[in-house]
Amino acid sequence: MTHPVTYEREGRIGLIRIENGPVNALGQAVRAGLDAAIEAFIQDGEAGIAVIYGAGRLFIGGADISEFGKPPQDPWLPEVINRIEACPKPVIAAMHSAALGGGLEVALGCHYRLAMPGTKLGLPEVTLGILPGAGGTQRTPRLTGLAKAMEMVSSGAPVTPEAALEIGLIDRIGTGDLLEDAKAYASELLAQAAPVRPVSAMPRPAADATASATIRATLAKTARGLVSPLAAVEAVEAACDQDLPEGLAFERAKFQEMMQTPQREGLIHAFFIERKVARLPEIDGIEPRTLSQIGVIGGGTMGAGIATAALLRGLSVTLIEQDGAAAEKARDTIAGNLGAAIRRSKLTEEGRDAILGRTLATATDYGELKNADLVIEAVFEDMAVKKAVFAELDRVCKPGAILATNTSYLDINEIANSISRPADVIGLHFFSPAHVMKLLEVVVADETAPDVTATAFALAKRLGKVAVRAGVCDGFIGNRILSHYRAAADRMVLAGASPFEIDRALTDFGFAMGPYAVADLAGLDIGYMTRQRKAADRDPQEVVPVWADELYHLGRLGQKTGRGYYIYEGRKGTPDPEVDEMIVKARADAGITPRTFTKDEIVRRYMAAMVNEAARVVEEEIAQRPLDVDVTLLAGYGFPRYRGGPMKWADMQGLESLLSDMESYAQDDPYFWHPAPLLMRLVAEEQTFDSLNAG
Ligand code: T1G
């Protein structure tokens, strides 16, 4: 086995190289290797200074997350870093691309820090439900002061080299040639006989009550139930009145505490499944088709959003509308989206001008799509309309062009089979606003060619989206599951819970929004249309939320009309007694005596409905693995990330207890509650959903 850390010398400079692809994570062999390399440097009488650097894509991506939850193996990272810091000769960290978590902590143990332009320097541990555990909370504030350090550890957001230089986190920004820059810096320091400069010997940071109060106020708004950011802040504050050894012990205790939390387990599950989701045997080794010219049909909110997403990532877009006025309107919508991107620093003004002047074309003639590599239609949700669009595309598009539909529920097989090239047809289900939302459902139809699927995944990556493979059914993965848990919520409303109680129970659980606030945001016309569409084959026992139909007929369409389930002033809604009256009447009409629901029961019923339908979706192979469901709900439906997704949540509850909940719900509502066969099988086999994610 080759060693992941090597030591060699050039002149008087010791070079310590870490090579442990893909991200130079600090697994046991790297930690041991660093220890040995520092020892070799100490023993090497010819060497006056050492440089630690990473081979490959980046400096160090942090601790090896896959070791979490396993028995710890010596040497410990905090001790390795202490030994680097205690080295009697100076050590430089030379960083490129990314120095994250334990990676930045290694650099903080060095005496001098050099970063190449564009390096991301950060302590992202809180995004994994933990906090820096190798001195990051103690050394950072000694360099940057309390406020900056608290901000870094609690947000997890990386800083740029420029910002890092300004706050004192690094000493120098290189030119971009890692080894040359590092050796030049080392030679300079040698020439000056620069001393070792351990951060632990620097004065403690000054306490700052205002900064502490400010960060707590921010976290009260942003942390939404996540516990690690505050723990990280407390560890940083400990640096103000403790020397390094005591501070490290305090940090360690907090770190261990966070390691035991279910939030840590949920977040690490989320991290790994987001990377696993694109790994599909059907596209393994398949070359995607070339993509540079994109066509979009329809310039409404969705079409304009899709066009914006593509333009922001450097793709050329031709957008087709029915007439010149509609095309102009679409252009305005896109310009507005780009303006918002400028405000979020995602685009420069020159970038916008170039896009509007060159890379975006609007047209009314489908013939303009003759060179398009991929066309995405985002027209009205109606099979006849979609088929007409596809017939046109079949006529004008070049051979090999991918023809995609953004439908959210229509049968893509039917669309595909209506044209001469079904193998080129795929569903690309974006979520509104399409240039912001992370999720993309890639809906693979019966005839879709594997390289079309591979191209869809490549496109998602280019657009910075998380793609999930879905099969064809009404609603695919996300909306199909949503319609089931939303039905469970409506049944609770009819039985006695208020929409407000349900929303509050679910936001307390960690959802970004509850189902009724979501409905108001999306527009109550959407739900109404869905109910109309499904009315023909509706089972008479299904609960129809008549109050929702009533709201629609009153023109109360949610946020956009100022009233829906809630009354809005701006984006903030307050419950409306009139809605309660409608619901009271609906219950009376149905002969129901309302009962009360605890928060816990609301959450458990809602989640049980979600998990049960998700189990069916997996069983029917609409989702190939439970992780595809988890990623869908996390990336597109506001599911609390620290709970890992509904399937992970179910595993952590214990599937048996969930099944027994469902059996008890079935006693008062036998029509709705039928445990999914997959769930029953897993319980019988004492297995978890996660056992189906392997491979
Ligand atoms: N440990 C183990 N595996 C990791 C890893 C890590 N830290 N980071 C990435 N991988 C795997 C990943 O699963 C994928 O595997 C492959 O590497 C490429 O990743 C003591 C407690 C570094 C910016 O939170 O943010 O340090 O799917 O596709 O887009 O305080 O990975 O190929 O099998 O994401 O180029 C803190 C997490 C750890 C950084 C690179 N560090 N990683 O992005 O590649 S906790 C982090 C990232 C810690 C100390 C503590 C990104 C990246 P596979 P990728 P990328």
Side-chain angles (χ1 to χ4, degrees):
M1 200 189 113
T2 55
H3 286 288
V5 183
T6 53
Y7 173 76
E8 59 179 23
R9 186 167 42 76
E10 270 189 46
R12 293 194 60 211
I13 305 170
L15 294 171
I16 298 173
R17 176 178 197 266
I18 304 173
E19 182 168 12
N20 182 35
V23 301
N24 292 335
L26 293 158
Q28 192 275 337
V30 175
R31 299 194 301 272
L34 274 173
D35 252 351
I38 287 292
E39 194 49 39
F41 166 57
I42 294 171
Q43 298 304 327
D44 184 349
E46 301 289 309
I49 191 163
V51 171
I52 300 180
Y53 72 101
R57 313 216 291 252
L58 46 82
F59 177 62
I60 300 172
D64 185 343
I65 303 170
S66 62
E67 286 182 351
F68 290 2
K70 297 181 187 158
Q73 285 179 291
D74 279 346
W76 261 20
L77 186 60
E79 287 170 359
V80 174
I81 293 173
N82 285 346
R83 283 193 283 270
I84 295 173
E85 192 179 51
C87 177
K89 297 183 275 186
V91 182
I92 304 173
M95 300 173 272
H96 73 293
S97 289
L100 299 174
L104 184 57
E105 291 174 299
V106 166
L108 294 172
C110 295
H111 307 114
Y112 297 90
R113 281 162 291 280
L114 162 73
M116 295 301 110
T119 306
K120 290 184 173 150
L121 301 140
L123 295 165
E125 286 86 347
V126 288
T127 63
L128 301 172
I130 51 178
L131 50 97
T137 64
Q138 304 303 301
R139 291 192 177 91
T140 309
R142 283 177 162 79
L143 288 170
T144 68
L146 191 71
K148 293 283 178 213
M150 290 193 300
E151 192 183 313
M152 278 185 76
V153 297
S154 65
S155 71
V159 295
T160 60
E162 292 74 18
L165 189 64
E166 199 179 312
I167 62 179
L169 194 65
I170 62 169
D171 302 293
R172 176 176 291 208
I173 303 176
T175 63
D177 188 328
L178 179 67
L179 271 184
E180 287 312 308
D181 288 346
K183 285 189 266 182
Y185 191 26
S187 303
E188 246 178 69
L189 291 171
L190 274 177
Q192 296 163 10
V196 293
R197 219 180 40 164
V199 176
S200 60
M202 294 181 181
R204 296 171 188 165
D208 182 344
T210 314
S212 287
T214 308
I215 198 92
R216 279 176 175 72
T218 308
L219 290 181
K221 284 194 222 119
T222 57
R224 277 224 303 270
L226 185 62
V227 295
S228 55
L230 185 59
V233 163
E234 288 168 355
V236 171
E237 287 167 337
C240 300
D241 42 41
Q242 292 178 2
D243 282 335
L244 200 87
E246 294 75 39
L248 285 182
F250 186 86
E251 175 191 84
R252 175 98 329 225
K254 289 261 168 210
F255 179 81
Q256 300 291 20
E257 195 187 308
M258 291 301 117
M259 274 301 233
Q260 303 308 320
T261 60
Q263 295 192 347
R264 191 275 299 165
E265 195 177 335
L267 285 165
I268 286 180
H269 174 77
F271 178 84
F272 281 118
I273 61 172
E274 276 171 1
R275 283 158 179 79
K276 216 166 168 184
V277 71
R279 222 172 293 143
L280 297 169
E282 72 190 278
I283 55 170
D284 190 24
I286 306 263
E287 195 58 33
R289 297 184 190 175
T290 311
L291 279 188
S292 70
Q293 304 264 349
I294 307 282
V296 175
I297 317 281
T301 308
M302 198 40 117
I306 295 170
T308 307
L311 290 162
L312 283 172
R313 296 298 172 122
L315 292 156
S316 298
V317 174
T318 301
L319 185 143
I320 305 290
E321 255 297 355
Q322 282 177 335
D323 53 48
E328 254 334 282
K329 195 160 168 238
R331 183 174 272 278
D332 289 347
T333 311
I334 293 169
N337 292 342
L338 296 176
I342 295 174
R343 287 193 292 283
R344 291 197 314 273
S345 307
K346 303 256 180 216
L347 184 70
T348 59
E349 306 224 340
E350 301 77 58
R352 174 193 51 201
D353 296 346
I355 287 174
L356 293 175
R358 285 198 300 277
T359 38
L360 170 66
T362 48
T364 53
D365 176 6
Y366 276 67
E368 297 294 317
L369 298 175
K370 62 179 186 301
N371 294 323
D373 303 305
L374 163 75
V375 181
I376 307 166
E377 70 72 22
V379 300
F380 188 64
E381 284 281 273
D382 176 90
M383 184 56 88
V385 176
K386 302 262 188 206
K387 279 186 180 168
V389 168
F390 270 79
E392 277 297 288
L393 295 177
D394 199 9
R395 196 173 59 77
V396 302
C397 289
K398 66 184 181 189
I402 296 174
L403 309 181
T405 170
N406 177 54
T407 181
S408 31
Y409 58 83
L410 292 173
D411 182 349
I412 300 177
N413 284 317
E414 189 178 336
I415 297 176
N417 292 328
S418 72
I419 64 167
S420 71
R421 32 175 144 170
D424 294 331
V425 175
I426 196 161
L428 291 179
H429 183 213
F430 288 84
F431 289 72
S432 191
H435 55 295
V436 176
M437 292 290 289
K438 279 266 168 230
L439 180 62
L440 178 67
E441 278 181 310
V442 172
V443 191
V444 179
D446 291 349
E447 304 286 326
T448 307
D451 65 341
V452 171
T453 308
T455 313
F457 275 85
L459 172 73
K461 193 162 186 198
R462 173 127 189 220
L463 299 183
K465 304 219 176 283
V466 180
V468 178
R469 186 219 193 269
V472 177
C473 73
D474 194 309
F476 316 129
I477 298 177
N479 282 347
R480 167 155 162 199
I481 297 173
L482 173 138
S483 77
H484 198 70
Y485 62 75
R486 174 58 203 272
D490 285 341
R491 295 178 98 81
M492 285 192 270
V493 169
L494 196 64
S498 75
F500 174 65
E501 283 169 338
I502 292 177
D503 279 356
R504 199 178 45 189
L506 292 163
T507 49
D508 285 356
F509 175 78
F511 274 94
M513 295 167 94
Y516 297 100
V518 167
D520 273 356
L521 178 64
L524 299 190
D525 41 338
I526 303 229
Y528 180 80
M529 303 297 180
T530 307
R531 287 192 294 281
Q532 292 294 99
R533 176 167 61 85
K534 291 184 174 171
D537 11 72
R538 181 180 296 138
D539 190 306
Q541 289 202 59
E542 215 172 281
V543 165
V544 180
V546 283
W547 57 89
D549 288 355
E550 210 173 325
L551 289 171
Y552 171 81
H553 290 301
L554 289 170
R556 299 182 48 152
L557 303 185
Q559 280 198 23
K560 60 186 167 191
T561 59
R563 272 173 182 241
Y565 282 99
Y566 297 91
I567 302 173
Y568 290 90
E569 268 173 47
R571 293 180 64 184
K572 182 149 175 46
T574 44
D576 182 354
E578 268 180 38
V579 175
D580 292 336
E581 279 166 33
M582 290 176 202
I583 294 168
V584 166
K585 180 167 178 306
R587 287 180 195 135
D589 290 348
I592 289 167
T593 311
R595 68 173 180 92
T596 54
F597 283 79
T598 63
K599 264 191 194 177
D600 185 53
E601 186 181 2
I602 290 171
V603 168
R604 285 196 76 86
R605 278 192 184 241
Y606 191 80
M607 288 303 302
M610 188 181 300
V611 171
N612 204 32
E613 190 66 6
R616 291 183 198 281
V617 160
V618 172
E619 196 155 32
E620 293 168 27
E621 295 180 13
I622 298 301
Q624 300 214 317
R625 303 151 297 189
L627 71 86
D628 297 282
V629 171
D630 281 345
V631 173
T632 301
L633 271 288
L634 290 177
Y637 293 81
F639 195 95
R641 191 176 166 84
Y642 60 75
R643 296 192 189 271
M647 305 314 246
K648 179 67 184 175
W649 177 86
D651 279 348
M652 286 168 74
Q653 297 302 300
L655 298 189
E656 202 174 345
S657 82
L658 206 63
L659 181 60
S660 90
D661 277 0
M662 287 185 207
E663 285 161 354
S664 80
Y665 304 152
Q667 289 177 0
D668 66 69
D669 192 356
Y671 169 77
F672 188 75
W673 291 99
H674 299 277
L678 174 62
L679 178 64
M680 292 196 285
R681 197 189 87 210
L682 290 173
V683 170
E685 292 171 358
E686 296 184 18
Q687 276 298 354
T688 57
F689 283 117
D690 199 38
S691 67
L692 306 175
N693 285 330

